[in-house]
Amino acid sequence: MPYLSWLESGQLRRYFLEDTSLLGRDPMLCQASSPGDSSVSRQHAMVGLSGDRWWIRDLESRNGTLLNGLPLPATGGSLEDLDELQLGNWKLTYTLSFPGLDGVNYIERVGDLFSEVRPEPAQALVLIRGLELLHRSTEVLLRMGTASAVLQGILSQAIKLLSADRGLVVMIRPDGSWHCVHSIGDAEEKIGMSHSVLDYVARHRIAVLSNSSMTDPRFQGTSLLELHRGALMCAPIEVDDVVQGMLYLDRADEGRPFTRFDLALFQAFVRQGALAHRHTQLAQRAIGQAELHGELLRLKTLNERLTNRTGEIFEVMASCLRWLQSYSEHVHGELTEAFRHEVDRLQSLVEEGIQEAVSEVPHEVPYSSSLDALQRLLEPAWSSLLKIRKASLNLESVPAGTVWMAGSLANQAVMGLVEPLFMEVCEGSSIPGQWVEDGGNWMLQLTFPSGVHSPSPDPWTLHGLQKTGIVWRWAEQCLSITFPRGVDTAPEQPAIPLLGLVTEEYELLGMFQSVAEAGQLAIFPLEEEPPLPPLPQFRYLVVDAKGTKDPVACIHVYRRHPSFYTAPILVVRAKEEISASLLAAGANDWLPEEFRWETLHHRLQVLKGHDELQRKALEAERFEVFRKMAGSLKHEINNPLAIISMQVELLQRKYPDEPKLAKIVEMVDRIRGLMQVLQKMREAAIEDYPDGSSIVKLS
């Protein structure tokens, strides 16, 4: 914090060097100037920072520049504390501290404890007592378990150490603003704290003492007028050469001043406290990472054990299947083909399970296949299965064409979709099938007799159909299976649901990443202010109470945002005393400060279940409203319809040969049919599908 100072009309003038500055006579061109001094050139010299040293260079002035009474070399000279500069008749002093301090009431830039003790016997006792107090206070700090407790301990021990009446710990936010985290005495948030003192300490990164703050030339801030305090001290809390906060102490009695030794003791204590705070932060982070690493190792071991066990089971199944295959080779009869087909299909599924579970190698390679090859693979197997039910399959001739991803995975998925339906076919039934072109893709349509219910494919089959791009639909006893013709026509995979995370402490991302992967989610970092719409759909929103400035206000803002109006909101690391405010603001659930990732994963699953129940309840409510509306419409339309029908009947008797009247009668009958449909919608049952959708069964 270097300064240039000089006397002007008997008053000491000061200039703080922050960047390269010009010295001269012209105040419009120079940052520090001496107007009216003809011995000084308009732009006389320049002071700048070179590396970590300040230098002065003459700018070819008329009267030259002197450094400590000697002419300045052409290359300039480096500046040391208390150097004397002379530009013409203008004399300046370069200092590393604020110039003009008396060393008694206004003090800064003190040394360590040993350098501040005078060589007197009484001072040795003061030093020993100070070291004893410092040692005891440091022991107390080292026993603190959390970073917040260390800051609180720094404040309480500093007040005991220096017999202060009041104290504050002020931390600096990332945006440069500061906030009081702990206080002792009659201090409240932003009340009784001097902006001038805190800004000076944070700016100059130096511990200061003032026994008369109202007349201290360093501060001169209006915020001092409301303090009415006696002596004060303030020191920066630095970690890795970065000021993270300030510790402030003062005394109410003006007759109890602080001493230079007090400032040295205070400075040493704050430095040790900053180290303790840093070590506690690192220890907390290390413990958290160790717990997370241990949890990941546990899950990895569990996954390896389950994988190995699954592989062993598949190997045993493969051994049993080899016996069945050997037996099927010696079995004869009309049902042999169906038996061999199921054994071969089971064998292929077991092989794929071994590949995915043990080797983690994709067994399926997508490729293009002709329709003829696909039908030649499916038709014999299906015909042999239908023989068991004494039914038949009648597929029309295959058109020329190709489909994409019709490999073994696609074949197995289609078999898993269709073959359970064959087991419901009555004896003597015939199932016709045909290939049709639909929107650039090929569709296989199979028509089943009455009594066969809609397909309910298992999860593996659903996954296989989705992976291969095959789409199926059931309507009026007809199963339509659509195969993509090419890779460009295959449907896109659904996007991964998003987990919105609002926090400033991104050390938590490791835990949230594992939870997101377990729930098949993608993390989307968010700020406390939601971005402007449109936004993608979010499955959950997680708000970190300790990593946000105001979690309640944050939830309020997100709950009013259209993208998060119905999204479940979970608050983590929340204190119990604010839980009611969080829930009132719109949060669905909260977790305390200490929680494990399994708890987080479980809470998200619970919220998912609640969300699905609310969605189904809303759909049921909407459908019930629609049913009531259908009944009202039927009643309101039937009344005028009966009158129209009666009048048309009278007109037909009077004009029996008028063809337009017959057309009106036809339209009236059609409207009556639609009214019957509305009546059925009021009484019809709802049938759910495995994909979560539902239909209304009208017949």
Side-chain angles (χ1 to χ4, degrees):
M1 45 170 295
Y3 278 88
L4 291 176
S5 59
W6 65 94
L7 289 174
E8 184 177 303
S9 301
Q11 297 291 326
L12 184 64
R13 298 286 305 276
R14 305 174 183 87
Y15 175 70
F16 176 51
L17 290 171
E18 291 184 282
D19 202 351
T20 301
S21 303
L22 294 177
L23 312 179
R25 186 178 74 249
D26 191 341
M28 302 297 293
L29 300 176
C30 303
Q31 286 76 24
S33 62
S34 178
D37 190 344
S38 59
S39 65
V40 180
S41 300
R42 293 183 62 193
Q43 293 183 356
H44 198 108
M46 180 177 66
V47 179
L49 191 63
S50 177
D52 57 349
R53 302 292 298 273
W54 285 90
W55 283 67
I56 182 170
R57 183 168 61 88
D58 187 80
L59 298 178
E60 299 180 358
S61 62
R62 184 174 68 254
N63 294 320
T65 301
L66 300 180
L67 175 60
N68 295 323
L70 299 176
L72 193 66
T75 57
S78 62
L79 297 175
E80 302 288 345
D81 191 26
L82 300 179
D83 277 349
E84 298 289 340
L85 304 175
Q86 184 171 345
L87 286 66
N89 297 327
W90 186 25
K91 295 182 179 180
L92 304 93
T93 302
Y94 172 84
T95 56
L96 293 177
S97 60
F98 192 89
L101 302 182
D102 59 7
V104 177
N105 291 317
Y106 319 127
I107 304 174
E108 63 183 48
R109 290 188 61 81
V110 295
D112 56 29
L113 292 176
F114 300 97
S115 64
E116 294 298 332
V117 176
R118 296 188 300 275
E120 299 175 5
Q123 290 295 311
L125 296 177
V126 173
L127 177 61
I128 293 173
R129 178 59 177 166
L131 290 175
E132 180 185 1
L133 294 174
L134 184 63
H135 176 69
R136 290 180 180 177
S137 300
T138 305
E139 283 185 337
V140 173
L141 292 181
L142 293 177
R143 288 195 293 267
M144 301 295 179
T146 64
S148 178
V150 169
L151 291 176
Q152 191 171 8
I154 291 174
L155 177 59
S156 61
Q157 292 301 312
I159 287 181
K160 294 178 182 179
L161 181 66
L162 295 155
S163 302
D165 299 328
R166 188 181 70 156
L168 310 165
V169 176
V170 177
M171 301 304 290
I172 300 177
R173 296 188 178 101
D175 60 0
S177 61
W178 50 265
H179 65 291
C180 179
V181 294
H182 296 291
S183 64
I184 295 179
D186 58 342
E188 299 179 5
E189 178 71 19
K190 294 189 177 181
I191 298 179
M193 292 186 291
S194 170
H195 294 261
S196 302
V197 176
L198 296 175
D199 289 341
Y200 184 89
V201 172
R203 182 183 184 189
H204 298 292
R205 299 170 52 188
I206 193 170
V208 300
L209 178 152
S210 180
N211 289 322
S212 181
S213 57
M214 295 296 295
T215 58
D216 196 318
R218 292 171 295 183
F219 309 137
Q220 299 177 354
T222 56
S223 61
L224 288 166
L225 298 178
E226 63 185 21
L227 291 179
H228 303 294
R229 313 299 292 184
L232 66 84
M233 287 192 298
C234 188
I237 301 175
E238 290 190 78
V239 177
D240 298 332
D241 295 328
V242 177
V243 178
Q244 294 191 351
M246 289 82 71
L247 179 61
Y248 173 93
L249 301 179
D250 63 24
R251 292 171 177 169
D253 187 2
E254 296 181 358
R256 298 173 56 217
F258 288 117
T259 65
R260 186 179 183 90
F261 184 78
D262 290 337
L263 182 60
L265 184 62
F266 179 57
Q267 177 179 265
F269 175 73
V270 173
R271 287 175 178 173
Q272 291 195 6
L275 289 176
H277 180 252
R278 176 60 171 167
H279 290 165
T280 306
Q281 285 181 321
L282 294 175
Q284 284 183 291
R285 188 178 302 174
I287 291 174
Q289 291 179 347
E291 291 180 351
L292 181 60
H293 183 66
E295 190 61 36
L296 291 176
L297 287 178
R298 185 186 71 83
L299 293 175
K300 182 179 180 181
T301 304
L302 177 62
N303 180 64
E304 290 177 352
R305 186 166 66 249
L306 292 176
T307 301
N308 293 335
R309 185 63 176 166
T310 303
E312 294 171 358
I313 294 174
F314 275 129
E315 291 290 349
V316 175
M317 292 174 62
S319 176
C320 296
L321 284 171
R322 284 192 290 270
W323 282 98
L324 292 175
Q325 285 179 322
S326 176
Y327 173 75
S328 65
E329 293 176 356
H330 299 85
V331 174
H332 302 283
E334 61 179 5
L335 303 181
T336 304
E337 291 299 325
F339 178 74
R340 290 176 180 172
H341 164 67
E342 291 303 318
V343 171
D344 291 340
R345 183 178 173 222
L346 190 57
Q347 177 68 28
S348 64
L349 292 175
V350 169
E351 290 177 356
E352 184 168 353
I354 295 175
Q355 286 284 337
E356 293 185 358
V358 180
S359 304
E360 297 184 359
V361 177
H363 186 63
E364 178 65 25
V365 178
Y367 59 89
S368 181
S369 172
S370 66
L371 294 180
D372 181 65
L374 179 60
Q375 180 161 318
R376 280 190 282 106
L377 181 65
L378 297 175
E379 185 176 11
W382 289 353
S383 297
S384 61
L385 287 176
L386 287 171
K387 285 182 180 179
I388 300 176
R389 308 293 297 180
K390 296 182 179 180
S392 61
L393 176 68
N394 297 316
L395 293 180
E396 297 182 359
S397 58
V398 184
T402 58
V403 291
W404 182 251
M405 299 187 77
S408 59
L409 179 59
N411 301 335
Q412 297 297 336
V414 172
M415 291 177 183
L417 174 67
V418 176
E419 292 180 1
L421 301 180
F422 291 159
M423 299 299 101
E424 302 179 20
V425 175
C426 299
E427 292 186 5
S429 299
S430 176
I431 301 177
Q434 62 177 347
W435 289 94
V436 297
E437 194 171 2
D438 178 49
N441 297 320
W442 287 106
M443 177 189 297
L444 176 61
Q445 293 181 336
L446 300 174
T447 303
F448 289 83
S450 59
V452 178
H453 298 86
S454 62
S456 299
D458 57 86
W460 185 92
T461 300
L462 286 175
H463 174 73
L465 294 170
Q466 181 182 13
K467 188 175 181 180
T468 54
I470 299 173
V471 180
W472 64 277
R473 186 170 63 90
W474 174 268
E476 299 179 356
Q477 298 302 118
C478 179
L479 176 63
S480 302
I481 309 172
T482 303
F483 297 85
R485 175 174 292 181
V487 65
D488 55 333
T489 60
E492 296 182 0
Q493 296 293 331
I496 300 178
L498 295 179
L499 168 67
L501 177 60
V502 182
T503 183
E504 291 182 357
E505 299 184 14
Y506 291 102
E507 294 84 358
L508 295 175
L509 280 178
M511 175 185 292
F512 281 100
Q513 187 65 43
S514 62
V515 172
E517 291 177 357
Q520 295 182 347
L521 302 168
I523 291 183
F524 194 97
L526 294 166
E527 302 293 336
E528 292 191 39
E529 289 289 335
L532 296 175
L535 285 178
Q537 189 68 30
F538 286 85
R539 173 71 59 82
Y540 312 103
L541 176 65
V542 178
V543 178
D544 179 18
K546 294 184 68 175
T548 54
K549 299 175 184 177
D550 190 346
V552 176
C554 177
I555 294 172
H556 265 301
V557 174
Y558 271 95
R559 197 46 100 189
R560 292 195 299 267
H561 194 280
S563 297
F564 300 92
Y565 188 75
T566 58
I569 298 180
L570 173 66
V571 185
V572 298
R573 300 204 301 176
K575 296 181 179 179
E576 187 172 357
E577 52 265 26
I578 67 170
S579 60
S581 301
L582 295 172
L583 297 176
N588 298 89
D589 203 352
W590 64 279
L591 288 175
E593 297 186 35
E594 301 296 333
F595 65 92
R596 299 173 65 87
W597 87 269
E598 298 100 322
T599 308
L600 176 61
H601 177 69
H602 173 70
R603 289 295 178 89
L604 291 178
Q605 296 303 313
V606 171
L607 287 178
K608 179 182 179 182
H610 289 174
D611 184 54
E612 291 179 352
L613 288 176
Q614 290 179 358
R615 179 179 57 82
K616 290 183 178 180
L618 182 61
E619 291 178 355
E621 182 180 356
R622 289 175 177 173
F623 186 70
E624 186 62 28
V625 172
F626 181 76
R627 280 180 165 178
K628 293 179 180 179
M629 183 182 67
S632 300
L633 285 174
K634 177 179 178 295
H635 177 73
E636 294 297 330
I637 294 176
N638 277 338
N639 289 336
L641 194 64
I643 296 175
I644 295 173
S645 178
M646 184 183 304
Q647 296 297 327
V648 171
E649 185 177 353
L650 293 175
L651 289 173
Q652 279 185 319
R653 291 177 182 176
K654 186 175 182 179
Y655 306 103
D657 298 329
E658 178 57 50
K660 294 181 180 180
L661 295 177
K663 189 66 176 178
I664 295 176
V665 172
E666 180 183 349
M667 293 298 103
V668 169
D669 292 339
R670 184 176 178 185
I671 295 174
R672 283 200 180 98
L674 293 175
M675 292 303 100
Q676 295 299 322
V677 172
L678 286 178
Q679 180 65 27
K680 290 180 180 179
M681 293 183 71
R682 295 187 61 192
E683 304 169 354
I686 300 176
E687 183 172 340
D688 296 326
Y689 275 72
D691 61 353
S693 60
S694 303
I695 64 169
V696 180
K697 300 193 69 174
L698 299 179
S699 61

